[in-house]
Amino acid sequence: MLDALWLVPTLPLAGFLLLSLTAGKLPERAVPWIGAGSVGTAALLAAIIGIAFWNQPPESQFFRQTLWIWMQVDGFQPPVALYLDALSLIMAFVVTGVGFLIHMYSAGYMAGDPGYSRFFAYMNLFVFAMLVLVLADNLVLLYLGWEGVGLCSYLLIGFWYEKPENGFAARKAFVVTRVGDTAMAIGLFLLFTQLGTLDIQSAMQRAAAQWSAGSPLATAAAFLLLGGAVGKSAQLPLQTWLPDAMAGPTPVSALIHAATMVTAGVYLIARTHVLFGLAPEAQWLVAVVGAITLLMSGLTALTQTDIKRVLAYSTISQIGYMFLALGVGAWSAAIFHLMTHAFFKALLFLAAGAVILSLHHEQNIFNMGGLWRRLPIAFWTFLIGAAALVALPLTSGYYSKHDILLAAYGAGPSGSWLWAAGVVGAFLTAVYTSRLILIVFFGPARAHHAVEEKLSLSMTVPLIVLAVLAVIGGLLEMPLQPVLPVSREHESGLLIGLITSLAPFAGIVVAILFYGTKRFSLEAMLRNSAGFSLYRFLLNGFCMDWLYDKVLVQPYLRLAASNKQDVVDKPYQAIVWISRSVHRLLTPTQSGKLRWYAASIAFGAAVVIAIGMFT
């Protein structure tokens, strides 16, 4: 059964090709059967392969399937090969399983859209690229999938390209992530030149054998791979593209944020954990980047008015927790949180999509309110997803986030600071999530249109399934020990465990005081000039876009304007001018008169003979 592994990424690719080649000529009813059906079949096949894989003898910890040799250049022969172990299998489950539910939901959400077939074609290609990324046996093939999800993000974020702002958001995502991709490509060149291979397992073995801990080469390679990871996973300083990615349809937001693109950086670091273990500075920076990012995005989420942008900043924050776990060596906890986050974040986006659809595509939370009775399915599923996001006990998010925070506390001298950042982040998560629920579902009704929950069966079933997974996902076993090192057990003490568990409840209480009982007035705080300035600062995401615009974009535009006449072309234009001038001087000699030509030949011969005689 393991020999059928190649079919898992091939099925979504076949769906993409069929939908693309038919160019929207298929009946609308047939499109989701191809688009969602191909991913659903891949999910079923991945489950069957997973059962067969885990039923193997304990010594069979991986399965490699070579399909063909991709290229042969001076001894460099990267194959198109798939590698299955516990880590890639869990990632394949998440990508195909959650991806299928999002595709199924899309069948109802996108119904009637003129680009219906094109939408599913892009979604299928996205899933194919992500499967190539997580199943790749070597870093060349992984990089192909890496760039593939970048291309698909551009296509899907700008899906409604009629609006210029959507095209801008798509280009922004493409350009910003290219910065990280460039760093990663340089890192791959470094690994190949120093280790002689880009096969992931062989490269990690050679790195451990050739480089000692703290080696400059290992550190440089780890830093470059981290550059790629922060780009794809929207971490500081390359996180600015993700909130604008909300320009795409809501199912796209769910797919990018939950099951595919933003988890790629987490997977890359986990897959190359041996390299990061040899570069303590780089691994420590992973934790610091995660801690700072989760705090910044949590504070920014407090001020957002677009329901999808709140969830977008929440995603950045939760990926920050995964980076924090990776940085302190809690590898399994990071992947555990990746899986549970896929469940509850997909649920939150799809439930938010149900709200948006019922309100005629209204996304401003202050134009909502009082929806808990009128939209019961959206309300209850959103509430379950929010409970998991906040990490309330007995939800999937509680188990994974709790493991991360306790691991952070025991991570050496800086562990207490990392733990404190994570606890504050958990408090902020509870505040902005509770704020969202109180305004959207319990606030005064502000919707100016008739609100009616019209969810098709294809939209309702994924919401219910994801709600169940958001609750019980924390009980699923994560057999990652053969692949990832087991993090050390730390004695955190009763007080630390109690603070970790109670932080979300404190956030809920604060949100109720501000947005429920109105005991404290935000309006009064905003009347103060300092308070309003702080609000604007957070609303604009710590003004990161403004900073990049002033430091990078505007200087580049000024340079381009100064070079409007193409200064670089001047030397080449001079060569052209000289050539034409000489041509004009010599043109009169071509008169067509035979006597002139004969005299010229005789004169030239005389000159040559004279030169020969005198030299």
Side-chain angles (χ1 to χ4, degrees), residues 46 52 98 105 147 281 333 360 370 424 468 575:
V98 177
Y105 177 93
E147 292 300 316
E281 296 89 352
H360 308 278
V424 173
V468 173
I575 294 173

Side-chain angles (χ1 to χ4, degrees), residues 438-468:
L438 291 170
I439 294 174
V440 172
F441 294 103
F442 293 101
R446 304 179 183 90
H448 301 296
H449 306 285
V451 179
E452 185 177 358
E453 190 170 56
K454 292 183 179 179
L455 299 182
S456 63
L457 186 63
S458 67
M459 296 176 67
T460 304
V461 171
L463 288 172
I464 295 174
V465 173
L466 287 169
V468 173

Side-chain angles (χ1 to χ4, degrees), residues 8-20 31-40 42 95 99-100 102-104 117-132 148-149 152 156 255 260:
V8 175
T10 302
L11 286 169
L13 176 62
F16 160 74
L17 293 174
L18 183 56
L19 292 171
S20 298
V31 170
W33 286 100
I34 297 171
S38 61
V39 179
V95 172
F100 167 65
I102 295 171
H103 275 71
M104 184 178 177
S117 180
R118 178 169 58 93
F119 175 82
F120 277 98
Y122 292 166
M123 293 277 279
N124 277 189
L125 184 61
F126 206 143
V127 172
F128 163 72
M130 190 66 189
L131 286 171
V132 169
V149 296
C152 294
L156 286 167
L255 190 64
T260 55

Side-chain angles (χ1 to χ4, degrees), residues 484-497:
L484 298 175
V486 179
S487 57
R488 299 186 303 272
E489 294 291 335
H490 300 284
E491 290 294 333
S492 57
L494 179 61
L495 179 61
I496 296 300

Side-chain angles (χ1 to χ4, degrees), residues 340-392:
T340 60
H341 175 261
F343 298 151
F344 62 72
K345 187 51 62 68
L347 174 61
L348 285 168
F349 268 110
L350 298 187
V355 173
I356 293 169
L357 198 62
S358 300
L359 295 179
H360 308 278
H361 296 279
E362 176 61 65
Q363 294 183 200
N364 190 325
I365 61 175
F366 291 105
N367 291 334
M368 301 177 185
L371 300 178
W372 74 278
R373 287 181 178 173
R374 290 184 283 180
L375 303 177
I377 297 176
F379 166 66
W380 287 108
T381 53
F382 194 96
L383 188 64
I384 292 172
L389 171 62
V390 171
L392 295 184

Side-chain angles (χ1 to χ4, degrees), residues 151-175:
L151 169 65
C152 294
S153 69
Y154 169 79
L155 296 173
L156 286 167
I157 294 168
F159 178 76
W160 287 320
Y161 56 83
E162 298 86 356
K163 296 182 178 180
E165 59 270 24
N166 294 351
F168 174 81
R171 291 194 300 274
K172 181 178 179 181
F174 195 77
V175 171

Side-chain angles (χ1 to χ4, degrees), residues 553-564 567:
V553 178
Q554 293 302 323
Y556 180 82
L557 292 177
R558 285 194 292 270
L559 178 63
S562 66
N563 190 35
K564 195 172 184 179
V567 175

